[in-house]
């Protein structure tokens, strides 16, 4: 979706290719290869501002100020939705259990997001400013209130993926008439709340001038009117949360308009409403009657006696018990004195004796860890682990206060508390401790090592799933990826993160859902190591041997084998004085094989060399060490590589060649050349641009040259590239202007061994320029680069990447967050993008230290509490997206809940207040929790019976068709109609066959007998007396009685026909439900395996 933000560079002329290069054109990088996108995203965005919760699917959505929406489930299931526009979200709500999320941006655009497809499916730009928004529970209808005092209805059609306004609206003329004024159109709507337990028929409308209207959409009339003029009817004011409300006379200010800033229902029946005002007052309104009675309609709460108070921003209500309309907890943000400490207030209220005798039993102020953004209340049930409160604070922090914590707080006498809530369990922790280094390692090994690593990671996943099932974190929604079966599962990548406390975490990064494999603590088992808990400064991973190297700021290097190859558990402790060997305790976790501590300088870089048998160590002091991994020894430690003792930036090792001797002796034997290749040369680049070649055996300097002009800034990175890995044929004849050949014309008869030096090229990235050097030219003393590109912005990171096995390009990231993609070897600009467009990130200081990448161009970045993987190349799909993505919306739960809603009618609520046994068992199995009857009843979990709203909202007010005025008695009869209520025998199957004719006639006879209420089935009518007719029908006129009998006969025939149709419908529904139950049982049987959890 970001391709339209990616600008192609069309101004660069096509570079001429050398002769013989046409066949390699498929590997050349073009603008069509560029497609920036986000593969995965972990963490809460630091610009988070609003939340929404789906209690059925147990999903949380977090909207931001920059157009992103983070969807969070359980077990590290997360998804990122990105709007094309960078605008904040004002409102965010789920279409519960339907797989859709609705957002309203600050530009008044209503957007609908498909959670399954992870994209926006429809949007609607509203002409006026949206000032209130609400979704009717269990439906796809939405109320929209605007700045002009109008309330409209919008519907989302999932089948057509369309969002459209409906003809219905709330007329302002009716509001003005009921409120006794004519200015409703001059005041904006500040809240629209569908009334609970009204089946969608009533909605509470709040205006900014304090007017409250309860509107009935089925009758198009105002039911209740409340406003500032009703405040004079009460003199009871709660001050500072006293247990008994103090008696005060209302002030003159009460007659003025009070602007509403927040509201919520405080009763399940929708009879009591809590309203917060801009002046800091909180009013509890009794809406059970439209006729005010003094002292019984409204009561005021004040959190502070100061005259100047903060506006009430947020109000939420949690009843003390299920279906308790008279007591509970009111959660308030705001309303305290200006300048007071920022807290979240909990008021324990009770009005069992009437709203006029409300008591504030207790008050608790919770000090938050950051600036308050939003909150959500949880009620434990089938889809939620525990009840409590989830609070969002800035920047991007989620904290959960469970019911135990809240009970403890409210039971204490002290007023203010600072507690330690449950923090959001980040899949990849980046703070506390802070992440200081990162590495993405590709698993290239095969055989027993790969099998053993895959088995260990699979076992770690199983343990993690068992632990997460017991977690107090409330979110459990979504389904983990089922793309890879356990029998064929192979680890392909690992993500390694180092932290400030010296610890290291290793994650399985094969799929987009990263899974923690193990945590390596700073202490090594069996011995204490000084400085082991210093911050991690460098990481290196050797794929062929599955070996991890960790370097810290005190110069200590630790080696770990991810898979133990021998039974011996030894630790080699190597210092400048020698080596000591210790025996350590064994275990299943990675084994520390060696600790090197011989230089106390900060380690700036680590690199495995020579197929993993050597480890190069670069220090901040400018010194270089080479370690032998096989013998756990120090091969050499050099002096500083530059006069300024500049830190070592990069290390690499390549076979050494004696180019000059080969040129002088063209007839040198090939065997001798191969013998020379046994020696290795170490390439070293310092931060100040000093390029040094070291002898791989002795550490002696072979060549040293400064590659950076004095006016240039520091070196960022270095890449050594073999020409055989470049995008042209290895056997082509290169012209003199080809960068692959700096000296080849001097000796055209040299062997392939002699050409090896010319086949290496060095790409040097500085803050202000990019350079491409020929290694052979450098060794001959030449310092002129083959290609140079001056950069207009400071560079902070660069990587090379491959296409079709060839190194074809360079990705350059700037400190501004902009990204260039350039081709190699000509450094031509192919395309450019920006992290702000892709991730909505601003580049921060030291952000480059946590950037890591793969050879396919996949980049993993860390920004605060966020971790994201970005792909810039169209041909890269290492994560196998979308097949390997976790599922955000669980259709199994949706089907189970819809089945419950279909098979249970509202009239049966008194008989059966919870889900039937089979559905309750399904939900219990899916969520691993107990199905609580009082909290998972039909009206709460299923799609509400709101089909009548289709007709209501499809017409303007006062213009409903006559069919809307349905007979409630007839509807109730239809709802109550069931096989058990009517004593009629029906065949299980209706088969038209000659052999069943006799049974059919017998059934018809029974039906006829019951139809005529016990009369004989003889075709001849029986003569009845006048008295019998009068007794039966209560009529004096025989003709009238006969007419009534005919009418009743016709009516009974219609009912029998309806009964027959409904019986067939129920039978089909039962068959479908049985089939669905069988599918659910099969799916649950598969999910019992750990990798399906």
């Amino acid at each position: 979706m970001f391709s339209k933000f990616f600008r192609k560079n069309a101004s660069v002329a096509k570079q001429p290719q050398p002769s013989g290069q046409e066949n390699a054109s498929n590997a050349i990088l073009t603008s069509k290869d560029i497609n920036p996108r986000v593969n995965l995203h972990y963490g809460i965005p630091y610009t988070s501002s609003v939340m929404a919760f789906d209690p059925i699917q147990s999903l949380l959505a977090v909207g931001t100020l920059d157009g992103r929406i983070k969807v969070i489930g359980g077990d590290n299931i997360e998804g990122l939705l990105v709007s094309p526009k960078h605008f904040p979200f004002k409102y965010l709500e789920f279409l519960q259990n339907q797989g859709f999320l609705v957002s309203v941006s600050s530009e008044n655009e209503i957007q609908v997001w498909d959670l399954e497809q992870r994209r926006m499916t429809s949007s609607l730009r509203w002409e006026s400013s949206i000032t209130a928004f609400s979704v009717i529970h269990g439906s796809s209808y939405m109320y929209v209130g605007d700045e002009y005092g109008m309330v409209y209805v919008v519907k989302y059609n999932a089948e057509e993926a369309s969002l459209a306004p409906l003809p219905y609206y709330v007329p302002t003329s009716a509001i003005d008439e009921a409120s006794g004024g004519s200015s409703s159109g001059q005041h904006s709507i500040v809240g629209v709340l569908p009334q609970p337990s009204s089946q969608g028929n009533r909605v509470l409308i709040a205006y900014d001038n304090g007017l409250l209207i309860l509107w009935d959409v089925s009758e198009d009339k105002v039911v209740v009117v409340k406003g500032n003029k009703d405040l004079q009817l009460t003199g009871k004011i709660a001050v500072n949360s006293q247990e008994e409300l103090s008696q005060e006379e209302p002030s003159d200010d009460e007659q003025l308009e009070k602007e509403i800033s927040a509201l919520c229902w405080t009763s399940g029946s929708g009879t009591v409403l809590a309203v917060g005002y801009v002046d800091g007052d909180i009013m509890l309104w009794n809406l059970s009657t439209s006729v005010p009675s003094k002292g019984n309609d409204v009561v005021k709460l004040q959190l502070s006696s100061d005259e100047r108070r903060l506006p009430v921003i947020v109000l939420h209500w949690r009843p003390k018990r299920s279906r308790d309309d008279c007591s509970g907890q009111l959660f308030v943000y705001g309303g305290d004195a200006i300048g007071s400490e920022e807290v979240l207030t909990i008021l324990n209220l009770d009005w069992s004796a009437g709203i006029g005798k409300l008591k504030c039993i207790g008050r608790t102020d919770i000090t938050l860890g950051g600036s308050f953004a939003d909150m959500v209340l949880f009620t434990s049930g089938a889809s939620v682990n525990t009840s409590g409160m989830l609070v969002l604070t800035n920047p991007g922090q989620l904290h959960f206060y469970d019911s135990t914590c809240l009970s403890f707080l409210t039971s204490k006498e002290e007023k203010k508390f600072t507690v330690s809530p449950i923090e959001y369990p980040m899949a990849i922790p980046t703070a506390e401790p802070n992440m200081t280094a990162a590495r993405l390692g590709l698993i290239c090994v095969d055989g027993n090592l790969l099998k053993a690593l895959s088995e260990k990671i699979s076992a770690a996943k199983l343990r993690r799933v068992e632990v997460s099932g017991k977690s107090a974190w409330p979110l459990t929604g979504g389904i983990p990826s089922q793309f890879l079966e356990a029998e064929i599962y192979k680890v392909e990548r690992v993500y390694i993160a180092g932290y400030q406390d010296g610890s290291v975490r290793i994650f399985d990064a094969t799929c987009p859902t990263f899974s923690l494999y193990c945590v390596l603590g700073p202490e090594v088992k069996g011995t204490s190591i000084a400085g082991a808990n210093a911050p991690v400064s460098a990481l290196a991973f050797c794929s062929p041997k599955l070996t991890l190297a960790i370097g810290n700021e005190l110069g200590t290097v630790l080696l770990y084998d991810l898979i133990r190859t021998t039974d011996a558990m030894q630790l080699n402790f190597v210092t400048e004085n020698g080596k000591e060997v210790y025996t350590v305790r064994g275990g299943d976790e990675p084994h520390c094989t060696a600790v090197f501590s011989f230089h106390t300088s900060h380690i700036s870089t680590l690199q495995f060399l020579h197929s993993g048998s050597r480890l190069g160590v670069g220090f901040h002091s400018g010194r270089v060490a080479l370690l032998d991994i096989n013998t756990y020894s120090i091969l050499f430690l050099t002096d500083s590589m530059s006069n300024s003792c500049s830190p070592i930036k990069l290390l690499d090792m390549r076979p050494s060649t004696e180019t000059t001797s080969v040129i002088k002796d063209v007839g040198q034997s090939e065997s001798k050349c191969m013998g020379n290749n046994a020696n290795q040369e170490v390439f070293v680049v310092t931060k100040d641009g000093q390029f040094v070649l070291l002898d791989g055996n002795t550490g002696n300097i072979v060549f040293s040259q400064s590659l950076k002009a004095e006016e240039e800034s520091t070196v960022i990175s270095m890449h050594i590239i073999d020409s055989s890995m470049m995008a042209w044929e290895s056997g082509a004849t290169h012209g003199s202007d080809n960068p692959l050949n700096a000296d080849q014309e001097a000796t055209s008869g040299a062997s392939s061994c002699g050409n090896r030096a010319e086949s290496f090229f060095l790409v040097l990235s500085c803050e202000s320029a990019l350079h491409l050097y020929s290694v052979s030219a450098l060794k001959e003393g030449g310092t002129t680069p083959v290609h140079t590109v001056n950069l207009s912005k400071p560079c902070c990171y660069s990587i090379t990447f491959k296409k079709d096995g060839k190194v074809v390009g360079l990705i350059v990231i700037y400190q501004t967050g902009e990204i260039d993609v350039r081709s190699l070897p000509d450094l031509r600009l192919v395309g450019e993008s920006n992290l702000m467009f892709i991730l909505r990130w601003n580049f921060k200081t030291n952000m480059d230290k946590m950037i890591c990448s793969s050879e396919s161009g996949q980049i993993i970045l860390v920004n605060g509490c966020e971790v994201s993987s970005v792909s810039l190349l169209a041909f890269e799909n290492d994560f196998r997206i979308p097949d390997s993505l976790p599922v955000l919306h669980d259709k199994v739960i949706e089907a189970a809940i819809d089945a419950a809603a279909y098979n249970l009618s509202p009239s049966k609520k008194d008989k059966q207040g919870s889900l039937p046994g089979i559905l309750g068992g399904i939900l219990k199995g899916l969520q691993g929790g107990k199905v609580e009857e009082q909290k998972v009843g039909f009206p709460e979990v299923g799609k509400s019976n709101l089909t009548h709203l289709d007709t209501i909202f499809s017409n303007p007010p006062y213009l409903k068709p006559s069919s809307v005025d349905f007979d409630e008695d007839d509807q109730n009869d239809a709802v109550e109609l069931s096989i058990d209520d009517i004593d009629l025998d029906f065949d299980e199957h209706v088969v038209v066959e000659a052999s069943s004719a006799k049974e059919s006639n017998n059934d018809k006879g029974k039906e006829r007998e019951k139809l005529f209420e016990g009369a004989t089935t003889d075709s001849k009518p029986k003569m009845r007396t006048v008295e019998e007719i009068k007794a039966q029908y209560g009529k004096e006129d025989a003709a009238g009685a006969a007419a009534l009998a005919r009418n009743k006969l016709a009516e009974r025939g219609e009912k029998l026909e309806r009964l027959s149709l409904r019986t067939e419908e129920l039978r089909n529904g039962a068959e479908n439900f049985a089939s669905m139950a069988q599918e659910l049982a099969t799916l649950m049987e598969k999910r019992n395996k750990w990798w399906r959890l």
Side-chain angles (χ1 to χ4, degrees), residues 18 30 32 422 490 534 545 552 626 672 860 879 1029 1064:
T30 66
K32 295 181 180 179
I422 302 173
K490 293 182 180 180
K545 295 186 176 182
N552 63 29
L626 190 65
K672 185 175 181 179
I860 298 182
F879 281 138
I1029 295 175
E1064 182 66 19

Side-chain angles (χ1 to χ4, degrees), residues 440-444 450 453 457 489-496 506-512 514 541 854 856 858 860 876-880 884:
L440 181 62
L442 302 182
I443 306 297
C444 302
L450 177 59
L453 180 62
I457 288 181
Y489 183 76
K490 293 182 180 180
V491 180
E492 298 177 358
R493 285 172 299 277
V494 290
Y495 179 72
I496 307 165
I506 304 176
F507 300 86
D508 176 18
T510 304
C511 295
F514 283 16
F541 181 72
S854 67
S856 59
Q858 182 183 111
I860 298 182
E876 185 276 319
N877 192 16
D878 293 342
F879 281 138
R880 304 180 185 88
S884 61

Side-chain angles (χ1 to χ4, degrees), residues 527-704:
T527 184
S528 60
I529 301 173
N533 58 351
V536 176
S537 58
L539 296 167
F541 181 72
C542 179
S543 179
K545 295 186 176 182
L546 297 182
T547 302
L548 172 65
I550 305 170
N552 63 29
E553 293 184 0
L554 294 182
T556 305
V557 178
L558 296 91
L559 294 180
Y560 280 87
D561 284 341
L562 299 190
I563 299 298
R564 186 177 53 180
T565 57
T566 62
D567 294 333
M569 299 290 289
Q570 294 183 337
L571 172 63
N572 297 270
F573 190 76
V574 184
T575 65
E576 64 274 13
N577 299 323
K579 179 175 66 174
E580 297 179 6
V581 180
Y582 300 91
T583 301
V584 297
R585 298 187 303 271
D588 294 334
E589 66 276 1
H591 167 53
C592 183
T593 59
V595 176
F596 293 86
S597 181
F598 55 89
H599 187 48
T600 58
S601 176
H602 180 120
I603 294 177
S604 57
T605 183
L606 288 173
Q607 184 66 49
F608 279 101
L609 309 170
H610 204 261
S611 301
S613 63
R614 302 286 189 270
L615 178 66
V617 184
F619 293 94
H620 198 268
S621 62
R623 304 179 71 179
V624 175
L626 190 65
L627 311 180
D628 190 325
I629 303 304
N630 297 327
T631 62
Y632 302 114
S633 60
I634 304 172
L635 296 180
F636 61 78
L637 174 63
T638 70
D639 294 330
S640 177
M641 293 292 98
S642 68
N643 296 330
S644 61
C645 297
S646 179
I648 302 299
K649 196 66 179 179
L650 293 148
L651 290 170
D652 204 345
M653 177 178 278
R654 300 288 174 170
S656 64
T657 56
E658 298 294 333
T659 305
T660 55
S661 63
V662 173
I663 294 176
K664 293 179 181 179
D665 186 6
V666 178
Q668 185 177 4
S669 65
E670 184 176 353
S671 60
K672 185 175 181 179
C673 290
M674 294 303 295
N676 290 337
N677 287 339
N679 297 325
Q680 301 288 320
E681 289 180 338
V682 179
F683 293 72
V684 181
V685 174
T686 63
K687 188 176 182 180
D688 62 358
Q690 193 72 21
F691 173 67
V692 182
L693 259 65
L694 301 177
D695 186 287
N697 295 324
T698 64
N700 295 330
I701 296 178
V702 177
F703 170 80
S704 179

Side-chain angles (χ1 to χ4, degrees), residues 93-96 98-102 112-115 121 156 158:
E93 288 201 39
F94 279 96
L95 298 183
Q96 292 186 7
Q98 300 179 52
F100 298 100
L101 181 67
V102 184
V112 179
W113 302 85
D114 188 328
L115 298 182
T121 60
Y156 177 69

Side-chain angles (χ1 to χ4, degrees), residues 458-477:
S458 298
K461 287 182 180 180
L462 177 59
R463 292 192 299 268
R464 181 177 54 81
V465 169
E466 293 174 350
V467 172
S468 63
K470 303 176 183 178
S471 172
W473 189 254
L475 299 176
T476 59

